[in-house]
Amino acid sequence: RRAALFFRFLGAPVPSSSVDESSFAGLASYLGLPQTAGSLATSCFSNPDSVAVNLVKRWFAAEHFRKSISSAGLRSSMCLQQARRLIPLPKDYSELILQVANFKCPQAVDDGVHNSLSLHPSMCLLCGKVMCSQTYCCRVTVDGQKHGPNSYHSLCCGGGYGMFLWVRDCEVLILAGERGTFVSPPYLDSYGEPDVGLRRGNPLYLNEERYEALQRLWLDHGILGKIVNDSEQSRSLQLVTWGEM
C-alpha cells in the first residue's frame, strides 16, 4: 500500500475503478507486479542478477547500514531461505515400521515385566518426532484442557496445525486446533491403492505424487479447508474428540 502511494506520488495515473485497492492482488496489479506473494518472491529473488537481489546487496554494502548493525552487535549476510518441506520418508514402508518398532512410551515404566513399547506410534511429518497416539498415557493438560500427544505436539511444532503418520495403521492424521480428519497416506501397493490398517499385508512403497500433495496441502495452508470439507461430508467426523488424539 505504501509503495502504491509512493508510485502515485511519482506521477503514476490514478488506478481505475476496477482495481480493488484494498486487496493485495489489486495493489500488485496497479504496481505491475505478480498478484500472489509466492510468485512475487520467486520473480524477485530466483535470479541472482535481478534488480531486487542487487538492491538488497546495495543495502548491505551501504556504510550507514554496516555501522548500524555493527553497533548492535549483528552481522549482515544475505540468505534466501528455501520453502520448508515435509520430512523425507523411506521408499519402502517396511523400513518405516522398523524405525519405530522399538519406540518406547516416554511415560511407561520399563521394569522388565510390563511392555513399555508404544502400541500406536505416530510420526510428525513436519519434524520427524515419534510419539504415542490413540492412548491416554501421554496426555497433557494445557490451560485446563486435555490434549493427546498428537494434539499437544501440533501446538508446539506447527502452531496448532499438525500432520502425523500413524505408522502401524498407515494413515495420515491432520489437525487444526480441536478439529481434524484423515487423509490418504502417501504409501501405495503395486496396484496403486493404499492399505489403511495394513489389512491386506501387501508391500507398500512411497508415492512421490501423493507425498507432494500433502506437501502442498501444508504449505498452501489448506489443512483447515480440507478438514472443513471432510466434516461437511461426514457428520461422524464432527463427533470425534480430535484434541485427545
Side-chain angles (χ1 to χ4, degrees), residues 60-108:
F60 285 164
E63 183 67 24
H64 68 277
F65 180 83
R66 293 203 305 269
K67 288 182 179 180
S68 297
I69 63 174
S70 178
S71 61
L74 304 176
R75 183 178 62 181
S76 65
S77 63
M78 186 173 179
C79 177
L80 303 179
Q81 184 175 0
Q82 296 182 348
R84 292 185 61 189
R85 298 193 61 83
L86 299 178
I87 63 170
L89 292 176
K91 183 70 176 177
D92 194 325
Y93 193 70
S94 60
E95 295 182 21
L96 194 61
I97 294 178
L98 290 175
Q99 287 183 19
V100 303
N102 295 322
F103 172 72
K104 296 181 179 180
C105 172
Q107 303 299 325

Side-chain angles (χ1 to χ4, degrees), residues 102-106 108-111 113-119 132:
N102 295 322
F103 172 72
K104 296 181 179 180
C105 172
V109 178
D110 191 2
D111 55 6
V113 178
H114 300 89
N115 185 11
S116 61
L117 296 179
S118 176
L119 298 177
C132 295

